Amino acid sequence: MTTIRRFCCNDLLRFTNVNLDHLTETFNMSFYMTYLARWPDYFHLAQGPGNHIMGYIEGQGESWHGHVTAVTVAPDYRRQQLAKKLMNLLEDISDNIDKAYFVDLFVRASNAPAIKMYEKLGYVIYRRVLRYYSGEEDGLDMRKALSRDVDKKSVIPLKRPVTPDELEYD
């Protein structure tokens, strides 16, 4: 049985098995602590039998959009729709609590399985960000419009790629 619950500080010492995936961006402890303190509603994990961490999602919410910073599932627990459940949770928080226009995320342009999964969840490629990952690999900014964006203006793709210094951060 899987339980989805809020992430807590002790989980930072137990989620290494999830972060070992070469496609998962990993950060230092202060990064995760900042997200946990600032956006606790956006930081959840899936926990299985024996309290094993199966996967997690972290993000942030601002006045106009939700952002998925990371969603990842440990290799032993993939193909069980855990990422979908975690994504749906973040989308619901962004839509119903923060009243955001859209949710966005960045994904490596080479990560075809993740791109396919996000497209199945209703995300579209909004723009390509040149050399987004470590100044080497392009990233794709993918978006999904929420109920506040009735006309879906937030997901109209840009016609040209952008560079990381052109991105806006709140």
Side-chain angles (χ1 to χ4, degrees):
M1 181 164 170
T2 303
T3 301
I4 295 179
R5 64 168 176 80
R6 277 195 182 178
F7 207 94
C8 66
C9 290
N10 290 342
D11 296 325
L12 290 171
L13 305 173
R14 303 181 328 114
F15 76 143
T16 305
N17 69 310
V18 180
N19 277 347
L20 292 177
D21 180 351
H22 71 283
L23 293 173
T24 298
E25 285 289 308
T26 56
F27 304 96
N28 59 39
M29 287 290 207
S30 64
F31 177 89
Y32 294 110
M33 291 294 288
T34 299
Y35 270 72
L36 191 55
R38 192 161 176 201
W39 299 286
D41 290 344
Y42 283 80
F43 210 158
H44 287 80
L45 65 79
Q47 183 173 286
N51 294 327
H52 290 105
I53 295 178
M54 303 164 73
Y56 71 90
I57 190 164
E58 68 176 285
Q60 63 189 57
E62 300 297 338
S63 59
W64 50 281
H65 84 289
H67 175 72
V68 178
T69 307
V71 60
T72 188
V73 175
D76 291 346
Y77 301 105
R78 292 186 180 152
R79 315 292 297 164
Q80 297 178 33
Q81 298 197 351
L82 289 176
K84 177 181 178 179
K85 290 174 186 171
L86 292 166
M87 291 291 293
N88 288 340
L89 177 62
L90 188 138
E91 292 165 10
D92 286 344
I93 292 166
S94 298
D95 196 18
N96 300 316
I97 295 174
D98 288 342
K99 306 295 184 207
Y101 285 94
F102 64 92
V103 171
D104 75 341
L105 57 88
F106 293 90
V107 61
R108 291 178 183 274
S110 64
N111 192 349
I115 295 166
K116 184 177 178 181
M117 178 193 76
Y118 296 133
E119 288 175 337
K120 282 183 182 178
L121 294 175
Y123 286 77
V124 298
I125 297 171
Y126 174 69
R127 61 187 167 183
R128 177 178 286 268
V129 183
L130 302 172
R131 299 172 305 285
Y132 180 76
Y133 288 98
S134 303
E136 297 173 10
E137 184 175 356
D138 291 355
L140 301 178
D141 179 355
M142 298 186 75
R143 293 185 176 187
K144 180 177 182 176
L146 300 176
S147 62
R148 187 173 179 190
D149 184 6
V150 177
D151 296 326
K152 310 284 189 237
K153 291 180 180 179
S154 64
V155 297
I156 298 171
L158 293 183
K159 297 186 186 311
R160 68 171 186 85
V162 298
T163 60
D165 57 329
E166 294 178 89
L167 298 174
E168 295 178 18
Y169 297 102
D170 289 324

